[in-house]
Structures are given as structure tokens and as C-alpha cells.
Amino acid sequence: MTTRPPGIHWAPAVLVGRAARTAARLRKRGGGSAVPGLVVNKLSPGFLGSVLSHFPEGLVVVSGSSGKSTTTKMLVTVLEAHGKRIFTNPSTANISQGLTSALLERVSLTGRIDADMAVLEMDEGHGALLSPQFEARTVVLTNVMTDQIDRFHDSEKVLAYLRQIASRATDKLILNADDAMLMRLADAPPEVEESPQAPSRNHHADASDASDASTLQSLFDEAGPGPAQAPRGAGTPTVELFGVSEQVLAALPRGLGYAETTVARFDGGTMVTGVSGRSASIAFDGAIHEVGLPARGIHYAVDAAAALAAARSLLGDGFDAAVAVAAISAMPAVFGRGEVVTVQGKQVEFVLVQNPASFQLNVDELDEGLDQVLVAMGSDVADPSYFWPVDASRIGRARIVTGSKAQEMALQLIYQGVQVDEIEPDLAAALDRFLALPEPERGVKTIVFTADPMRRTRSHLGLAQ
Amino acid sequence: MTHRILQLFPELTNVNGDGENALALARRLEWAGADAEVVPLAEGDPAPGFSPAAVVLGSGVDSALERTRDALATLRGQLTGWLAADVPLLVVGTGVELLSRRVELPDGAIDGLGLVPGEATALPGRVAGDLVVDSAWGRLFGYENHGRGLTLDEGVTPLGGVVRGAGNGTGSDGIRLGSLFGTHLHGPVVARNPRFAMALVAAIAGDTIDAYAPGRADAVADAVNAATARRLDLS
Ligand SMILES: [Zn+2]
């Protein structure tokens, strides 16, 4: 690695970052601003990579289309239960500016963080862009979904990004054996790319992300990608697999939702052998363990298998299966599918759908026969036709379909047999009418929305973003 | 009788929702009072033992092209027979490419089934955005997202002329060959374009039903398309 080690030379960057953080907090109560990270990345492009590469027990990077956030949380929980002190990032800070901001919360003036190990969730595109700057002991890749809302055009591009992230693994590559695209990384161990391919920057929906991307770009423009990477000392990483058994897959009418699913199931590794409600049977090291999940659904079980596979490999002889299983089982439950808020004295459940896979998962878990559902699709969905493979018929009846893509969403719902009472593209008007409806006879008022109407809904209702 | 709409390899060809045209056709038949069902055929399944009312083949990712081609090759005899029997075939994106003679890829080319007289060749760059096509069924609206076009042999009729977007990359889009309808309009082209849908339903059910009665969703589709036309400044 060519990153600078920690030292007093990072003090100016840290101080500037802290000042920016204070300033941002004064302007916007509650913090969470990405500005400090942006400032520091601009001022000291090598800072992030330096901090990331100098944890005593190394860096673990978790990436993939979906499940990276839950997998990261579970892995951190298991490692902490084994007495490790872990630095991790909140899931909202999985791109470089957010990562740097998160580091600034904890870093010393010399650019060190008092923790044994870092476990970081990284966005695929930003992780690829950052990859020349870090070396990771372990890389965990969850899956490649055909999440084409607007970002990457196709799954091949996502795989290319993940390949770059995987190329930074020195020790272990932990892969989803059911994902045929990821398994191509196991067949041909990723090579260090000579010059990183920057993810497309012209396709971002929101400005904050784009501004981060241009900061990243300026990083490369000014500093270049750095000298050719030193060859990896430890050679190619070994591959560890996780996934589901034949019976589990056979019981899923819609499969796992990956862009491509492997034809054959694997043997060994860490395998989900059964799922029932909020518990899963997960087999490893010749025994089957009953693991409690934070929410219902196969995807949480697969996330737990990924976290257990990573923890086993990171902890080696120090891994205690009973401790690990107890730690995951004790994680707080995710309430329903989403967040329940009280607005104007009425309970409303928010269900965020970020891609076709999460749309399907969330709709499948809705209570049947809900009589008050509002569905909102916004301009964050560039092409609503990607959602058509989602069978939304379980919604049954949508009181209002709203958002700038309301007509498109309604068209799909009508063809799928959902009763659509009203189409109102104006989100604010739709929300007001929906909230004014009398209390539902069944369940709670439920709002299913994509990311853009989610932000607008929260803002219209005066809720924290 | 039940009209069975055969949906080919949805696990490989429904990336953009093109496979859902099978659902859209079945729903329109039902709305017109006919019985209809979608019959998905998965990779590795035996060829269906019935003659379908219509066949829908959608679009997939490039990494699955060869697998899809091999799956289609097992149906070559059936596909040829259905075309000879005037069974409507709605084919989208890489589906059309794989039915052509040859698909050009960055590292070489692969052979298609050769049922469509033409070849899929690389466009100057990837295109993603609105695609608007003037056709025999009026103006068709949809979305395209692809890196290759379609070069048809001399004298072969496209589905229509491109008003906005790239389509085949030659000023026209898709192919119209007997009962085969091919296009780059991905996603639910049938749901989005009622007049085109009516023509397909009429081809499926003949005069046993009123295929030309607008479905209850057609006003919504018209609203989507009117908004698109305004956004694209089309008169
Ligand atoms: Zn981005």
C-alpha cells in the first residue's frame, strides 16, 4: 500500500474537519452532515485511505446491491460480543463523504481511531472509486440485484465495481454462493486493476450524491490514482461461501431476487437450511444453529449467514458459535417492514421500496386485506417498467396512487388486479386526503413509497429527515 | 377455452419487466370476457405440449445471453411452427437479438437462432431513455436501455419509425415479420400502448371477443403517454 501512515501530518485535516462538523451542526441541528467529509476529502485526499488501512486488526468491507447494511450490523454485533472494539459506519454514510464524516467523529489528531478493527458498509460505485486507497483484510459481497432504478444501468457494471472492491482483499473473500455473478469472482480471482474506472457520474438522482462524486473525481484529477499498486503480499485471498439450501430455495416462489442465481447449490460453508417467521436454521462446522432474526424474511436469514461466515473467518479459533448466535438473536426487532409514526394523532406505517427486490419483499410481508394504502412513486424512478416484475397484487386496494410517476405506478397496479381508487400526482394533496380518511378498519394506514416521495412526505408532515 | 400466453424463460428475460407483457395480454383478454392464463416456461423445462395463444420473450442481461440462446435453441422447432401457424410472438430487446442471426459482443459474437433476418450490432454508445415509435398502431411510447441496435436485411419491415430515441439505430425500430412483433420498447409495451395491445389481442382471439373495447387501464396509459409527449415536446 502506498497510503501514508497515521501521524501528526494529518492534524490539519482533522482539525479542519472538526471545525466543519461544528459549523454544520450549528446550521443544521441533529448533525449527520456530509460536509465535514467533503471538506477533508478535498483538503487531504489521502486521509480516508490512511485511516482505513491502519486498524490493528484490519479492515472489513461489506458491499453488494442489498443486505449490506443488515450484514454489517450483524457482523459488528457478533465481533463485539467476542470482545472486539469495532469502528463502523452508519448505513446512511456508506459513500466516501459520509465515511470520512463518520471517521471524524472518532479520529485522533494523528489520524488514528481507537478500535481493533473497522467493519464498513460501502456503496458499490463509491467503494470501487475508493478501492485504490485501501487494503481490506476481508471483503464480504452480498449479491447483485437488478436494481436499475437509475444508478448503474446494468448488473454487469455493478459486478465490475464489486470486482474492484474484491481486488483489495488480502485474506478472505466472502461470497454469496447463490449469486451466479458473484461466483464469477470466485472462479477468476479478482486482479488489481491498473487504473480505476470511475463509476458514471451523470446518472445520479440527488445532488448531494453528485457533489460527492465530483469531489471524488477531483481527488483523482489532482492526485491521480496513485502509483501502481504494490503486489499483494499474502497472494490471492481464499474464498468462503454462504447461501441457502436446495429446500430453502425450492420453497421461495420468486427465488432470491438476484440478477442471476447459480444453478447448483453449494456444500459446506455457512448455509441457511430453513426459515420460519423470525428464525432461521443456519448450518456451519457440521452443526445446525437456530438463529433469531431482526425481522421476518429469507433476506435477513441470508444476511445472518453472511455475517456468521465473515465472523468465523475473522475470529478463527476465537469464534464461539453460541456467542455469535446469541448476539444476532438478541438484535432488536425491526418493527414490521418499516417505521410507524404518529401524524396528526394517527398511526401511519412507512414502507420504503428502493428497488424491485425490496418492493417485492415488502409487499409480500404486508398484512393481507389492508384497507388504507397509499402508494407513491417519484422522479427517483427513472424507468418504472423495472418494477413490473414485482407482483404487487397483495396490496389489494390502493386508496390513492401519487407522486410524479403516479400514472405509471397505477398502470402496473391495475394490470396486477389492485383496486385503484384515485390517482393524484400531487403528493401533498394526496397525503392530506389520505390522512383525513377515517381510521382504517384493518391494520394501520400504510404508505408505500420510493425514496424521493419519502423525503417529500417527511418534509410535508414535518418529520425529521 | 383458455388462451394460454406462453412466457419464455422469465427468470432470464424479465429484467426490464418485458415478460410482464404476458400478464398484460392475459388481463386484456379477461377484461374482454375471455379466459386467459400466463404459462411461464423455465430454462430446462420440456417444450410445452400445447399450441400457445401467444408467446412473449423479453430482454435479459448480457451475461445471460448465451444461456438464454441455448434455452431458446431447444425450442427452435416449436418457434418455427408457431410462426408458420400465425401465433403472435411479442419479442423485446435481447429477445429479438437472440432470434436474429448474430449478436455482436465486445469479445466476439454469438450466433442467434436466425429466425429474424438481421443482426444485432453495437451502437456508438449505450442508450437509455424514452423511445417513441410511429407504427401501424399509432404512436408507441416506451423506454429503451441497450448498447446494440438491429440491422435488418434489405426489404425486411421494421415495427415502425423512430420519433425519439435510438431503436434499431437506423431510424427505425424493431421488426414486423408475419406474426412476429419485435421492438426495443422495453417494459410493459402492451400495457403502455392500448392500440398495439388491441391488435395483439385481436390476433390472439380473432372475432370471438371485442378486442377493440378499451380496457379500464387505457385512460391511465393515455395519460402517461400524453405526459411523455409533453415532456419530449412532441406535437
Ligand atoms: Zn454515487
Side-chain angles (χ1 to χ4, degrees):
Chain A
M1 279 304 290
T2 52
T3 56
R4 275 179 103 175
I8 199 68
H9 50 264
W10 291 128
V14 174
L15 289 170
V16 166
R18 285 182 183 169
R21 192 184 66 195
T22 309
R25 287 230 169 106
L26 289 176
R27 277 192 290 121
K28 182 180 164 188
R29 278 181 45 224
S33 166
V35 172
L38 215 123
V39 170
V40 171
N41 284 351
K42 183 92 186 161
L43 183 80
S44 299
F47 173 77
L48 181 53
S50 168
V51 179
L52 292 186
S53 300
H54 289 91
F55 285 89
E57 295 187 42
L59 165 69
V60 178
V61 171
V62 181
S63 193
S65 300
S66 76
K68 50 186 178 280
S69 171
T70 309
T71 302
T72 302
K73 279 197 197 82
M74 287 175 167
L75 177 56
V76 168
T77 302
V78 171
L79 294 172
E80 286 177 344
H82 283 80
K84 298 289 180 191
R85 292 171 313 141
I86 306 297
F87 172 76
T88 189
N89 54 332
S91 59
T92 48
N94 73 14
I95 63 175
S96 58
Q97 60 188 14
L99 269 173
T100 305
S101 295
L103 289 172
L104 286 167
E105 299 283 327
R106 292 268 302 269
V107 79
S108 74
L109 276 185
T110 56
R112 276 190 199 280
I113 286 178
D114 186 29
D116 301 322
M117 202 188 297
V119 179
L120 299 178
E121 170 190 348
M122 277 189 198
D123 165 270
E124 309 95 288
H126 287 256
L129 212 45
L130 261 177
S131 61
Q133 289 195 58
F134 64 77
E135 199 161 76
R137 178 179 167 191
T138 296
V139 169
V140 183
L141 300 180
T142 59
N143 52 54
V144 181
M145 300 257 188
T146 44
D147 165 6
Q148 306 216 27
I149 288 182
D150 87 309
R151 288 201 66 199
F152 298 123
H153 286 309
D154 72 39
S155 40
E156 291 289 329
K157 204 174 272 183
V158 175
L159 184 67
Y161 297 158
L162 293 178
R163 186 185 293 278
Q164 278 185 252
I165 296 172
S167 77
R168 307 312 301 162
T170 56
D171 189 5
K172 289 278 169 58
L173 195 50
I174 300 191
L175 298 178
N176 185 336
D178 301 317
D179 188 307
M181 299 192 83
L182 290 182
M183 286 310 280
R184 276 151 57 189
L185 301 181
D187 296 343
E191 285 166 20
V192 178
E193 309 252 341
E194 277 177 23
S195 67
Q197 292 292 307
S200 157
R201 264 168 306 276
N202 54 12
H203 217 70
H204 286 295
D206 69 332
S208 64
D209 194 28
S211 68
D212 162 66
S214 59
T215 305
L216 273 171
Q217 189 53 44
S218 65
L219 185 160
F220 285 114
D221 291 346
E222 288 157 20
Q229 302 301 325
R232 264 194 303 266
T236 39
T238 51
V239 172
E240 298 274 343
L241 300 177
F242 62 90
V244 307
S245 70
E246 193 74 59
Q247 297 92 308
V248 168
L249 184 62
L252 297 171
R254 296 182 236 274
L256 289 154
Y258 308 148
E260 281 179 58
T261 302
T262 46
V263 178
R265 307 276 62 73
F266 73 117
D267 276 325
T270 308
M271 190 192 283
V272 179
T273 58
V275 191
S276 165
R278 272 186 56 199
S279 90
S281 307
I282 301 181
F284 53 86
D285 298 335
I288 295 181
H289 304 267
E290 292 305 312
V291 182
L293 303 173
R296 282 187 294 166
I298 180 64
H299 291 85
Y300 287 97
V302 174
D303 294 344
L308 288 166
R312 286 168 60 217
S313 118
L314 287 161
L315 295 165
D317 290 343
F319 177 81
D320 183 332
V323 168
V325 167
I328 291 179
S329 305
M331 287 175 73
V334 176
F335 190 97
R337 284 74 36 188
E339 176 194 5
V340 176
V341 296
T342 304
V343 185
Q344 297 159 23
K346 287 169 177 146
Q347 276 209 320
V348 184
E349 179 163 359
F350 288 162
V351 179
L352 173 64
V353 296
Q354 289 175 294
N355 53 42
S358 82
F359 197 160
Q360 189 68 67
L361 179 71
N362 283 309
V363 164
D364 285 349
E365 307 241 326
L366 285 179
D367 291 330
E368 234 164 337
L370 286 177
D371 73 341
Q372 280 191 26
V373 182
L374 176 144
V375 183
M377 183 182 275
S379 55
D380 51 322
V381 180
D383 173 18
S385 53
Y386 287 121
F387 279 114
W388 273 69
V390 175
D391 178 0
S393 56
R394 193 180 174 91
I395 290 175
R397 175 183 186 188
R399 289 301 184 101
I400 307 182
V401 179
T402 183
S404 57
K405 294 286 200 301
Q407 306 281 1
E408 277 98 329
M409 184 74 256
L411 190 61
Q412 170 177 351
L413 293 175
I414 292 168
Y415 269 95
Q416 293 183 338
V418 175
Q419 176 187 332
V420 174
D421 290 9
E422 189 189 347
I423 302 169
E424 167 60 85
D426 182 339
L427 179 68
L431 286 168
D432 291 344
R433 279 210 290 282
F434 182 68
L435 289 171
L437 291 173
E439 284 294 331
E441 282 170 30
R442 291 189 52 137
V444 296
K445 288 178 190 277
T446 302
I447 297 182
V448 179
F449 43 29
T450 61
D452 176 60
M454 177 189 73
R455 279 191 292 270
R456 291 168 193 272
T457 297
R458 299 191 77 98
S459 138
H460 181 71
L461 300 178
L463 299 164
Q465 286 292 318
Chain B
M1 89 178 216
T2 301
H3 299 281
R4 281 179 286 195
I5 315 293
L6 187 67
Q7 187 190 35
L8 293 181
F9 318 121
E11 73 280 15
L12 296 170
T13 62
N14 201 10
V15 171
N16 300 319
D18 315 314
E20 301 311 314
N21 285 302
L23 171 80
L25 287 173
R27 272 291 138 77
R28 296 193 74 94
L29 283 157
E30 286 166 2
W31 291 340
D35 279 337
E37 65 173 340
V38 175
V39 182
L41 186 76
E43 182 189 25
D45 282 355
F50 58 90
S51 183
V55 180
V56 169
L57 171 63
S59 205
V61 294
D62 277 5
S63 59
L65 274 182
E66 276 186 83
R67 238 175 102 185
T68 312
R69 190 265 322 265
D70 294 347
L72 282 169
T74 66
L75 290 180
R76 179 192 296 274
Q78 283 79 10
L79 287 165
T80 311
W82 294 330
L83 280 172
D86 272 339
V87 172
L89 253 72
L90 174 61
V91 191
V92 181
T94 61
V96 186
E97 298 182 352
L98 290 173
L99 294 188
S100 78
R101 280 191 304 270
R102 185 173 170 275
V103 183
E104 203 176 279
L105 293 170
D107 42 1
I110 64 167
D111 287 334
L113 267 67
L115 300 178
V116 162
E119 300 188 349
T121 47
L123 292 169
R126 197 171 180 91
V127 290
D130 293 289
L131 175 60
V132 183
V133 176
D134 274 346
S135 75
W137 311 277
R139 188 157 278 186
L140 307 181
F141 290 87
Y143 201 85
E144 63 181 336
N145 180 359
H146 54 116
R148 286 178 299 272
L150 185 66
T151 308
L152 295 173
D153 291 357
E154 192 116 333
V156 180
T157 315
L159 192 76
V162 169
V163 181
R164 282 295 158 85
N168 290 350
T170 58
S172 59
D173 179 61
I175 177 173
R176 174 74 205 276
L177 183 75
S179 61
L180 186 150
F181 303 80
T183 182
H184 289 95
L185 288 159
H186 82 207
V189 55
V190 164
R192 183 93 186 257
N193 297 283
R195 286 185 59 199
F196 182 49
M198 289 170 191
L200 287 171
V201 169
I204 291 168
D207 54 11
T208 61
I209 59 168
D210 182 2
Y212 294 95
R216 54 191 281 265
D218 289 352
V220 179
D222 290 342
V224 172
N225 295 337
T228 306
R230 273 197 305 279
R231 179 164 49 77
L232 298 178
D233 229 352
L234 295 171
S235 51

